[in-house]
């Protein structure tokens, strides 16, 4: 599903640099972009050059009115949000009627929660699209190496194993990123996030708990089977490469067409500089 | 498979207190126990009251002669060993002929490596048994709570989810321990081990990355489907309980009959003191 160009679209933005890049890419392909910033996650200062407004976590009616006033029907979510406690959300009158739905969704993990929010938005006449639909040029859309380095035979075997682990975890709201070293899964991403997981690998190398092995290891990142790309797009960026290098890895494998590269050009240049491969899997 | 009582048995011991407890339990049930201590992992001082000898990582002929001299055919492995580099192993003449087998096993992860060592031992006329066969009283053999506290309905749902995640990871050499919080897997154990994973949960609570949620969360530990209990027995002990409490968890669930409790009585008393449940799953 691609948003037709020249259309007014909204990006609900959490933390990080990714919402900016998606917004810029969407503008470049002719969209008129409105940024709905999530209070406490996205900072208004970072979006001074875009049409934007900040909304509290429970300000649903406010968001709906702002979108309708701008004739916007297409909405994409992007950026990080620290999972709030239910009590942190102050529902306005538009959200109150959906409160019991949201409360139930809270027990279902992040995916369940965002899925429920999407359901509520779509029930109110909006179409929720993936940020990838707005900025397909931020993904690597062709399988193969994107920088100077590429994966050797052993690294390819490790990548395959990593994809199988992610596939096995598909039914669960966890683990779209793993580290394989010497034919063995040594880390699976949980709530700590990719960078936290890479720091852990670096720590284990330092303390000798994990040996370098013959290759060093690879980071494998891919959406799960059936993953709703409107809810959660795997991403990598310069920090991922820096942390992968500090963890002694050989490279990073990402699913082609399904993983966003924040600061794409810098990320690829940095991989070359660090001697790491970035390999898009078929 | 239970070792007949009154028989001479060997325990190949790595680090930690567990080999001592298994040895004591085996003695109490009438076995004559010989401890083969792994150099660099088990300390001879800790085993002064047992018949013991220390063996280097590649000292295979030495081990075989020592066992034969004592009429021992049953051997169990227990305790931690930091995964060695291939170059750290100095093979004696008995091991040299198995060197290519071992080298291949090195690419297969810890389970593959130990499986290969077991194969070599069994090919030399020994029978490798599980430490659980020598010390079944160190496991919890009946489903249900073993201390004062027990899991509530929400915690039971989290335990079920944890068991399903472990089941899904069965084909891989990773993840026999997970933390579920509020219906969501928040950590899967990799090479960092259970305590490392629990420290991570505590860190995420401190930094606000992970909220306490309504319950707090549970640690679920279980062997994988088809796990070779001669190779790897999941264990918990006082440190597990202390770290689980520091991570804000409600309790610990273990598979009945398949998880060793190091310092069983102290572990259960500590759980009561900390207000945590220990629940054996069916």
């Amino acid at each position: 599903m691609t948003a037709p160009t020249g259309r007014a679209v909204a990006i609900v933005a959490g933390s990080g640099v990714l919402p900016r890049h998606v917004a810029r890419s969407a503008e470049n392909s002719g969209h008129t972009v409105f940024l709905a910033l999530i209070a406490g996650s996205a900072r208004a200062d970072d979006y001074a050059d875009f049409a934007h407004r900040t909304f509290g976590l429970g300000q649903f009616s406010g968001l709906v009115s702002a979108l309708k006033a701008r004739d916007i029907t297409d909405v994409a979510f992007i950026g990080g949000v620290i999972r709030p406690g239910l009590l942190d959300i102050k529902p306005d009158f538009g959200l109150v009627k959906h409160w019991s739905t949201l409360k139930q969704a809270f027990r279902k993990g992040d995916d369940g929660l965002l899925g429920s929010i999407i359901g509520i938005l779509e029930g109110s006449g909006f179409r929720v699209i993936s940020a990838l639909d707005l900025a397909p040029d931020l993904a690597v859309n062709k399988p193969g190496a994107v920088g100077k380095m590429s994966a050797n035979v052993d690294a390819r075997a490790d990548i395959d194993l990593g994809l199988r682990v992610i596939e096995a975890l598909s039914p669960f709201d966890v683990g779209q990123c793993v580290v394989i070293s010497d034919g063995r899964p040594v880390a699976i991403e949980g709530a700590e996030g990719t960078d936290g997981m890479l720091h852990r690998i670096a720590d284990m190398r330092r303390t000798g708990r994990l040996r370098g092995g013959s290759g060093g290891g690879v980071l494998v990142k891919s959406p799960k089977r059936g993953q709703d790309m409107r809810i959660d797009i795997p991403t990598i960026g310069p920090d991922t490469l820096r942390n992968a290098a500090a963890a002694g890895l050989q490279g990073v494998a990402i699913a082609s067409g399904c993983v966003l590269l924040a600061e794409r050009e810098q990320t690829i240049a940095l991989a070359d500089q660090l001697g790491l491969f970035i390999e898009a899997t078929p």
Side-chain angles (χ1 to χ4, degrees), chain A residues 11 17-31 33 35 46-50 134-135 137-138:
Chain A
I11 295 172
V17 298
L18 212 43
R20 269 197 73 82
H21 287 273
V22 171
R24 187 65 71 212
S25 167
E27 273 195 352
N28 289 345
S29 50
H31 294 298
V33 178
L35 281 128
D46 295 338
Y47 296 92
D49 48 344
F50 291 97
L134 290 178
D137 56 312
L138 293 184

Side-chain angles (χ1 to χ4, degrees), chain A residues 71-149:
Chain A
D71 272 332
I72 293 173
T73 53
D74 288 340
V75 182
F77 288 80
I78 189 83
V81 178
I82 296 243
R83 182 180 167 81
L86 200 57
L87 297 174
D88 300 330
I89 302 177
K90 309 267 172 279
D92 65 12
F93 64 92
L95 195 58
V96 159
K97 61 178 170 185
H98 302 292
W99 197 240
S100 65
T101 311
L102 269 188
K103 261 172 77 175
Q104 280 173 13
F106 241 78
R107 282 258 336 148
K108 292 188 204 146
D110 284 0
D111 289 6
L113 188 58
L114 246 168
S116 159
I117 292 167
I118 287 178
I120 294 170
L121 264 174
E122 298 208 316
S124 309
F126 297 96
R127 190 169 73 129
V128 178
I129 60 175
S130 166
L132 268 172
D133 298 326
L134 290 178
D137 56 312
L138 293 184
V140 177
N141 295 300
K142 210 180 66 187
V146 288
K148 285 180 194 154
M149 307 297 289

Side-chain angles (χ1 to χ4, degrees), chain A residues 221-239:
Chain A
K221 195 156 192 174
S222 166
K224 292 170 270 186
R225 175 171 35 89
Q227 183 159 328
D228 188 339
M229 300 294 280
R230 302 171 307 166
I231 287 184
D232 191 12
I233 305 169
T235 62
I236 66 165
D239 280 347

Side-chain angles (χ1 to χ4, degrees), chain A residues 174-179 187-201 219 221 235 240 243:
Chain A
V174 70
Q176 60 185 13
C177 192
V178 300
V179 174
I188 298 176
E189 182 182 332
E192 75 281 8
T194 303
D195 290 332
M197 183 183 60
L198 289 171
H199 292 319
R200 178 159 89 241
I201 300 286
L219 178 80
K221 195 156 192 174
T235 62
T240 319
N243 291 328

